[in-house]
Amino acid sequence: MAVLYVVATPIGNLEDISPRGLRILQEVGLIAAEDTRHTRKLLQRYQIETRLIAYHEHNKLARLDTILLALANGDDVALVSDAGTPAISDPGYELVGAVIGAGFAVVPIPGPSAVITGLSASGLPTDRFYYLGFPPRRSKERIALFSEVVDIPATLVVYEAPHRICDCLADALSVLGDRPAAVARELTKLHEQFVRGTLSDLVAHFNTTEPRGEFVLMIGGATRPAKRKPTSSTTNELGVIVEEAPADVDWNLIRAELQRLRAEGWTGTKAAKQLAKQYELDRHQVYSEWSNLPE
Ligand code: SAM
């Protein structure tokens, strides 16, 4: 049975494509590409001459029949986007759904995606993350989006255009507070750069440095009510004493923050004082985490 391959392609550096991805692009009967001129550069680099058709935001419904017909005729098809993994803030998921619905197999060929590439070197917690795609262009709607996720205890990830990154950072700061954050710029390219700090540090940085290139913005998740309140107790109607548990602290986040400050050259005393204040924690407890950080 014919297969639709969903093939990840480089997000900058053309070496970032797997041998399997190249073999699939060579072997399929047809490549459906977001921008055929863009994909042709990748194919030329690897001397691949497979037939290309355009599959983008504006013709994706019309193209569906062409692709289903190719599959029905027994031709395997590869779907690629301009950069990274198709269907991740790129066209593709409707096609994948339709191909599954028509009874054909869909096989992913993994590779780069800016969200994972950025997260992996951000220094922020990666055990849980919440991907928001591109935030809305208008400030009012962006603020509404950040308000929706203000309590989520997972690293937030957004894609943003260079001319909107300053406004987006300012809105994030106003809704989420001064959380740890990182911007990954031009990943895998000549001018790759990570800017790490708190949201206010990033606002200050991009207010004085013109943002250029492609950006992934990552923001630390909500910390649960952080202060360790003394355990309190009440007596219920049956006369039973009910202990109220102290609130949880996200110590993974605190440790990640301590590591970041240590890498920036802070002393333990100063870092403990800063984080204790920021997250309303006991300074001595934060310092003891500092003392136990791995080398
Ligand atoms: N499908 C792609 C993926 O898997 O990452 C995302 C496509 S989306 C239309 C393009 C956005 O991804 C850019 O505007 C930028 O926010 C982000 N992006 C793509 N390549 C990047 C790179 N090399 N460095 C930083 N961000 C990048």
PDB file of all heavy atoms in Angstrom, residues 254-279:
ATOM      1  N   ILE A 254      13.677  25.926  40.588  1.00  0.00           N
ATOM      2  CA  ILE A 254      14.613  26.697  41.429  1.00  0.00           C
ATOM      3  C   ILE A 254      16.048  26.223  41.161  1.00  0.00           C
ATOM      4  O   ILE A 254      16.960  27.036  40.992  1.00  0.00           O
ATOM      5  CB  ILE A 254      14.273  26.513  42.940  1.00  0.00           C
ATOM      6  CG1 ILE A 254      12.818  26.935  43.216  1.00  0.00           C
ATOM      7  CG2 ILE A 254      15.256  27.296  43.829  1.00  0.00           C
ATOM      8  CD1 ILE A 254      12.502  28.373  42.951  1.00  0.00           C
ATOM      9  N   ARG A 255      16.235  24.899  41.067  1.00  0.00           N
ATOM     10  CA  ARG A 255      17.594  24.387  40.818  1.00  0.00           C
ATOM     11  C   ARG A 255      18.092  24.823  39.437  1.00  0.00           C
ATOM     12  O   ARG A 255      19.250  25.202  39.271  1.00  0.00           O
ATOM     13  CB  ARG A 255      17.630  22.862  40.955  1.00  0.00           C
ATOM     14  CG  ARG A 255      17.670  22.423  42.430  1.00  0.00           C
ATOM     15  CD  ARG A 255      17.891  20.934  42.545  1.00  0.00           C
ATOM     16  NE  ARG A 255      16.687  20.183  42.233  1.00  0.00           N
ATOM     17  CZ  ARG A 255      15.755  19.870  43.139  1.00  0.00           C
ATOM     18  NH1 ARG A 255      15.884  20.209  44.402  1.00  0.00           N
ATOM     19  NH2 ARG A 255      14.669  19.204  42.773  1.00  0.00           N
ATOM     20  N   ALA A 256      17.177  24.791  38.444  1.00  0.00           N
ATOM     21  CA  ALA A 256      17.582  25.223  37.090  1.00  0.00           C
ATOM     22  C   ALA A 256      17.991  26.696  37.119  1.00  0.00           C
ATOM     23  O   ALA A 256      18.981  27.102  36.498  1.00  0.00           O
ATOM     24  CB  ALA A 256      16.429  25.009  36.111  1.00  0.00           C
ATOM     25  N   GLU A 257      17.234  27.490  37.881  1.00  0.00           N
ATOM     26  CA  GLU A 257      17.549  28.919  38.005  1.00  0.00           C
ATOM     27  C   GLU A 257      18.889  29.120  38.697  1.00  0.00           C
ATOM     28  O   GLU A 257      19.697  29.953  38.296  1.00  0.00           O
ATOM     29  CB  GLU A 257      16.448  29.599  38.841  1.00  0.00           C
ATOM     30  CG  GLU A 257      15.242  29.973  38.030  1.00  0.00           C
ATOM     31  CD  GLU A 257      15.613  31.149  37.162  1.00  0.00           C
ATOM     32  OE1 GLU A 257      16.164  30.907  36.067  1.00  0.00           O
ATOM     33  OE2 GLU A 257      15.407  32.294  37.550  1.00  0.00           O
ATOM     34  N   LEU A 258      19.131  28.331  39.765  1.00  0.00           N
ATOM     35  CA  LEU A 258      20.399  28.454  40.485  1.00  0.00           C
ATOM     36  C   LEU A 258      21.563  28.111  39.556  1.00  0.00           C
ATOM     37  O   LEU A 258      22.593  28.796  39.549  1.00  0.00           O
ATOM     38  CB  LEU A 258      20.410  27.521  41.706  1.00  0.00           C
ATOM     39  CG  LEU A 258      19.552  27.993  42.896  1.00  0.00           C
ATOM     40  CD1 LEU A 258      19.439  26.880  43.943  1.00  0.00           C
ATOM     41  CD2 LEU A 258      20.131  29.249  43.535  1.00  0.00           C
ATOM     42  N   GLN A 259      21.374  27.057  38.741  1.00  0.00           N
ATOM     43  CA  GLN A 259      22.445  26.665  37.821  1.00  0.00           C
ATOM     44  C   GLN A 259      22.725  27.774  36.816  1.00  0.00           C
ATOM     45  O   GLN A 259      23.859  28.057  36.463  1.00  0.00           O
ATOM     46  CB  GLN A 259      22.084  25.363  37.100  1.00  0.00           C
ATOM     47  CG  GLN A 259      22.400  24.167  37.978  1.00  0.00           C
ATOM     48  CD  GLN A 259      21.959  22.859  37.388  1.00  0.00           C
ATOM     49  OE1 GLN A 259      20.883  22.791  36.809  1.00  0.00           O
ATOM     50  NE2 GLN A 259      22.747  21.823  37.549  1.00  0.00           N
ATOM     51  N   ARG A 260      21.636  28.382  36.351  1.00  0.00           N
ATOM     52  CA  ARG A 260      21.810  29.458  35.373  1.00  0.00           C
ATOM     53  C   ARG A 260      22.578  30.624  36.000  1.00  0.00           C
ATOM     54  O   ARG A 260      23.523  31.153  35.413  1.00  0.00           O
ATOM     55  CB  ARG A 260      20.429  29.934  34.889  1.00  0.00           C
ATOM     56  CG  ARG A 260      20.491  31.028  33.850  1.00  0.00           C
ATOM     57  CD  ARG A 260      19.103  31.429  33.381  1.00  0.00           C
ATOM     58  NE  ARG A 260      18.296  32.036  34.417  1.00  0.00           N
ATOM     59  CZ  ARG A 260      18.429  33.295  34.816  1.00  0.00           C
ATOM     60  NH1 ARG A 260      19.333  34.078  34.281  1.00  0.00           N
ATOM     61  NH2 ARG A 260      17.645  33.777  35.775  1.00  0.00           N
ATOM     62  N   LEU A 261      22.191  31.004  37.233  1.00  0.00           N
ATOM     63  CA  LEU A 261      22.863  32.133  37.883  1.00  0.00           C
ATOM     64  C   LEU A 261      24.328  31.785  38.169  1.00  0.00           C
ATOM     65  O   LEU A 261      25.213  32.622  38.018  1.00  0.00           O
ATOM     66  CB  LEU A 261      22.127  32.506  39.180  1.00  0.00           C
ATOM     67  CG  LEU A 261      20.702  33.052  38.969  1.00  0.00           C
ATOM     68  CD1 LEU A 261      20.011  33.326  40.290  1.00  0.00           C
ATOM     69  CD2 LEU A 261      20.718  34.324  38.123  1.00  0.00           C
ATOM     70  N   ARG A 262      24.574  30.512  38.573  1.00  0.00           N
ATOM     71  CA  ARG A 262      25.960  30.105  38.828  1.00  0.00           C
ATOM     72  C   ARG A 262      26.786  30.251  37.548  1.00  0.00           C
ATOM     73  O   ARG A 262      27.895  30.769  37.571  1.00  0.00           O
ATOM     74  CB  ARG A 262      25.991  28.670  39.330  1.00  0.00           C
ATOM     75  CG  ARG A 262      27.380  28.235  39.775  1.00  0.00           C
ATOM     76  CD  ARG A 262      27.394  26.877  40.397  1.00  0.00           C
ATOM     77  NE  ARG A 262      27.030  25.838  39.437  1.00  0.00           N
ATOM     78  CZ  ARG A 262      27.012  24.536  39.708  1.00  0.00           C
ATOM     79  NH1 ARG A 262      27.295  24.113  40.920  1.00  0.00           N
ATOM     80  NH2 ARG A 262      26.668  23.656  38.790  1.00  0.00           N
ATOM     81  N   ALA A 263      26.174  29.796  36.393  1.00  0.00           N
ATOM     82  CA  ALA A 263      26.904  29.892  35.120  1.00  0.00           C
ATOM     83  C   ALA A 263      27.181  31.349  34.765  1.00  0.00           C
ATOM     84  O   ALA A 263      28.149  31.662  34.073  1.00  0.00           O
ATOM     85  CB  ALA A 263      26.099  29.219  34.023  1.00  0.00           C
ATOM     86  N   GLU A 264      26.316  32.236  35.258  1.00  0.00           N
ATOM     87  CA  GLU A 264      26.524  33.672  34.967  1.00  0.00           C
ATOM     88  C   GLU A 264      27.496  34.317  35.961  1.00  0.00           C
ATOM     89  O   GLU A 264      27.727  35.515  35.906  1.00  0.00           O
ATOM     90  CB  GLU A 264      25.183  34.408  35.003  1.00  0.00           C
ATOM     91  CG  GLU A 264      24.326  34.101  33.789  1.00  0.00           C
ATOM     92  CD  GLU A 264      22.943  34.752  33.875  1.00  0.00           C
ATOM     93  OE1 GLU A 264      22.696  35.580  34.768  1.00  0.00           O
ATOM     94  OE2 GLU A 264      22.105  34.399  33.024  1.00  0.00           O
ATOM     95  N   GLY A 265      27.986  33.523  36.934  1.00  0.00           N
ATOM     96  CA  GLY A 265      29.016  34.034  37.845  1.00  0.00           C
ATOM     97  C   GLY A 265      28.491  34.570  39.168  1.00  0.00           C
ATOM     98  O   GLY A 265      29.224  35.213  39.908  1.00  0.00           O
ATOM     99  N   TRP A 266      27.201  34.333  39.477  1.00  0.00           N
ATOM    100  CA  TRP A 266      26.668  34.823  40.753  1.00  0.00           C
ATOM    101  C   TRP A 266      27.259  34.011  41.903  1.00  0.00           C
ATOM    102  O   TRP A 266      27.575  32.838  41.750  1.00  0.00           O
ATOM    103  CB  TRP A 266      25.145  34.674  40.795  1.00  0.00           C
ATOM    104  CG  TRP A 266      24.391  35.596  39.904  1.00  0.00           C
ATOM    105  CD1 TRP A 266      24.657  35.876  38.598  1.00  0.00           C
ATOM    106  CD2 TRP A 266      23.224  36.351  40.244  1.00  0.00           C
ATOM    107  NE1 TRP A 266      23.722  36.741  38.094  1.00  0.00           N
ATOM    108  CE2 TRP A 266      22.831  37.058  39.093  1.00  0.00           C
ATOM    109  CE3 TRP A 266      22.472  36.494  41.412  1.00  0.00           C
ATOM    110  CZ2 TRP A 266      21.722  37.882  39.075  1.00  0.00           C
ATOM    111  CZ3 TRP A 266      21.350  37.318  41.390  1.00  0.00           C
ATOM    112  CH2 TRP A 266      20.993  38.012  40.237  1.00  0.00           C
ATOM    113  N   THR A 267      27.333  34.631  43.102  1.00  0.00           N
ATOM    114  CA  THR A 267      27.718  33.863  44.290  1.00  0.00           C
ATOM    115  C   THR A 267      26.459  33.175  44.830  1.00  0.00           C
ATOM    116  O   THR A 267      25.323  33.598  44.538  1.00  0.00           O
ATOM    117  CB  THR A 267      28.265  34.780  45.396  1.00  0.00           C
ATOM    118  OG1 THR A 267      27.203  35.662  45.796  1.00  0.00           O
ATOM    119  CG2 THR A 267      29.471  35.565  44.911  1.00  0.00           C
ATOM    120  N   GLY A 268      26.680  32.126  45.654  1.00  0.00           N
ATOM    121  CA  GLY A 268      25.550  31.394  46.231  1.00  0.00           C
ATOM    122  C   GLY A 268      24.678  32.286  47.086  1.00  0.00           C
ATOM    123  O   GLY A 268      23.443  32.242  47.039  1.00  0.00           O
ATOM    124  N   THR A 269      25.316  33.144  47.872  1.00  0.00           N
ATOM    125  CA  THR A 269      24.551  34.010  48.790  1.00  0.00           C
ATOM    126  C   THR A 269      23.643  34.946  48.000  1.00  0.00           C
ATOM    127  O   THR A 269      22.457  35.105  48.291  1.00  0.00           O
ATOM    128  CB  THR A 269      25.538  34.863  49.641  1.00  0.00           C
ATOM    129  OG1 THR A 269      26.607  34.029  50.045  1.00  0.00           O
ATOM    130  CG2 THR A 269      24.854  35.493  50.807  1.00  0.00           C
ATOM    131  N   LYS A 270      24.231  35.529  46.946  1.00  0.00           N
ATOM    132  CA  LYS A 270      23.460  36.498  46.162  1.00  0.00           C
ATOM    133  C   LYS A 270      22.315  35.788  45.409  1.00  0.00           C
ATOM    134  O   LYS A 270      21.179  36.270  45.374  1.00  0.00           O
ATOM    135  CB  LYS A 270      24.404  37.184  45.168  1.00  0.00           C
ATOM    136  CG  LYS A 270      23.823  38.439  44.575  1.00  0.00           C
ATOM    137  CD  LYS A 270      24.840  39.146  43.695  1.00  0.00           C
ATOM    138  CE  LYS A 270      24.098  40.044  42.713  1.00  0.00           C
ATOM    139  NZ  LYS A 270      24.736  40.161  41.434  1.00  0.00           N
ATOM    140  N   ALA A 271      22.638  34.612  44.840  1.00  0.00           N
ATOM    141  CA  ALA A 271      21.621  33.874  44.075  1.00  0.00           C
ATOM    142  C   ALA A 271      20.482  33.434  44.997  1.00  0.00           C
ATOM    143  O   ALA A 271      19.298  33.552  44.654  1.00  0.00           O
ATOM    144  CB  ALA A 271      22.261  32.662  43.398  1.00  0.00           C
ATOM    145  N   ALA A 272      20.841  32.939  46.197  1.00  0.00           N
ATOM    146  CA  ALA A 272      19.807  32.474  47.133  1.00  0.00           C
ATOM    147  C   ALA A 272      18.907  33.638  47.539  1.00  0.00           C
ATOM    148  O   ALA A 272      17.679  33.513  47.615  1.00  0.00           O
ATOM    149  CB  ALA A 272      20.465  31.840  48.351  1.00  0.00           C
ATOM    150  N   LYS A 273      19.539  34.781  47.771  1.00  0.00           N
ATOM    151  CA  LYS A 273      18.767  35.954  48.200  1.00  0.00           C
ATOM    152  C   LYS A 273      17.782  36.377  47.086  1.00  0.00           C
ATOM    153  O   LYS A 273      16.601  36.615  47.330  1.00  0.00           O
ATOM    154  CB  LYS A 273      19.745  37.098  48.506  1.00  0.00           C
ATOM    155  CG  LYS A 273      19.122  38.230  49.263  1.00  0.00           C
ATOM    156  CD  LYS A 273      20.213  39.192  49.723  1.00  0.00           C
ATOM    157  CE  LYS A 273      19.545  40.509  50.116  1.00  0.00           C
ATOM    158  NZ  LYS A 273      20.474  41.610  50.098  1.00  0.00           N
ATOM    159  N   GLN A 274      18.316  36.396  45.861  1.00  0.00           N
ATOM    160  CA  GLN A 274      17.488  36.834  44.720  1.00  0.00           C
ATOM    161  C   GLN A 274      16.291  35.900  44.503  1.00  0.00           C
ATOM    162  O   GLN A 274      15.149  36.327  44.371  1.00  0.00           O
ATOM    163  CB  GLN A 274      18.376  36.873  43.465  1.00  0.00           C
ATOM    164  CG  GLN A 274      17.647  36.852  42.136  1.00  0.00           C
ATOM    165  CD  GLN A 274      16.918  38.170  41.876  1.00  0.00           C
ATOM    166  OE1 GLN A 274      17.284  39.222  42.432  1.00  0.00           O
ATOM    167  NE2 GLN A 274      15.870  38.112  41.059  1.00  0.00           N
ATOM    168  N   LEU A 275      16.562  34.571  44.499  1.00  0.00           N
ATOM    169  CA  LEU A 275      15.480  33.629  44.209  1.00  0.00           C
ATOM    170  C   LEU A 275      14.505  33.526  45.376  1.00  0.00           C
ATOM    171  O   LEU A 275      13.305  33.346  45.190  1.00  0.00           O
ATOM    172  CB  LEU A 275      16.048  32.250  43.856  1.00  0.00           C
ATOM    173  CG  LEU A 275      16.812  32.193  42.527  1.00  0.00           C
ATOM    174  CD1 LEU A 275      17.149  30.763  42.158  1.00  0.00           C
ATOM    175  CD2 LEU A 275      16.034  32.824  41.383  1.00  0.00           C
ATOM    176  N   ALA A 276      15.035  33.648  46.607  1.00  0.00           N
ATOM    177  CA  ALA A 276      14.155  33.608  47.777  1.00  0.00           C
ATOM    178  C   ALA A 276      13.154  34.755  47.672  1.00  0.00           C
ATOM    179  O   ALA A 276      11.956  34.584  47.928  1.00  0.00           O
ATOM    180  CB  ALA A 276      14.979  33.711  49.050  1.00  0.00           C
ATOM    181  N   LYS A 277      13.653  35.900  47.237  1.00  0.00           N
ATOM    182  CA  LYS A 277      12.777  37.071  47.117  1.00  0.00           C
ATOM    183  C   LYS A 277      11.781  36.858  45.973  1.00  0.00           C
ATOM    184  O   LYS A 277      10.570  37.050  46.128  1.00  0.00           O
ATOM    185  CB  LYS A 277      13.647  38.303  46.856  1.00  0.00           C
ATOM    186  CG  LYS A 277      12.890  39.589  46.859  1.00  0.00           C
ATOM    187  CD  LYS A 277      13.855  40.761  46.878  1.00  0.00           C
ATOM    188  CE  LYS A 277      13.090  42.019  46.522  1.00  0.00           C
ATOM    189  NZ  LYS A 277      13.748  42.801  45.522  1.00  0.00           N
ATOM    190  N   GLN A 278      12.323  36.399  44.832  1.00  0.00           N
ATOM    191  CA  GLN A 278      11.486  36.250  43.630  1.00  0.00           C
ATOM    192  C   GLN A 278      10.371  35.221  43.821  1.00  0.00           C
ATOM    193  O   GLN A 278       9.252  35.419  43.378  1.00  0.00           O
ATOM    194  CB  GLN A 278      12.392  35.837  42.464  1.00  0.00           C
ATOM    195  CG  GLN A 278      11.736  35.899  41.117  1.00  0.00           C
ATOM    196  CD  GLN A 278      12.763  35.575  40.028  1.00  0.00           C
ATOM    197  OE1 GLN A 278      13.978  35.759  40.185  1.00  0.00           O
ATOM    198  NE2 GLN A 278      12.285  35.091  38.902  1.00  0.00           N
ATOM    199  N   TYR A 279      10.707  34.112  44.484  1.00  0.00           N
ATOM    200  CA  TYR A 279       9.712  33.031  44.611  1.00  0.00           C
ATOM    201  C   TYR A 279       9.145  32.909  46.032  1.00  0.00           C
ATOM    202  O   TYR A 279       8.478  31.931  46.352  1.00  0.00           O
ATOM    203  CB  TYR A 279      10.343  31.690  44.191  1.00  0.00           C
ATOM    204  CG  TYR A 279      10.699  31.656  42.727  1.00  0.00           C
ATOM    205  CD1 TYR A 279      12.003  31.862  42.299  1.00  0.00           C
ATOM    206  CD2 TYR A 279       9.729  31.456  41.749  1.00  0.00           C
ATOM    207  CE1 TYR A 279      12.332  31.848  40.948  1.00  0.00           C
ATOM    208  CE2 TYR A 279      10.050  31.444  40.402  1.00  0.00           C
ATOM    209  CZ  TYR A 279      11.354  31.639  40.013  1.00  0.00           C
ATOM    210  OH  TYR A 279      11.675  31.623  38.667  1.00  0.00           O
TER     211      TYR A 279
END
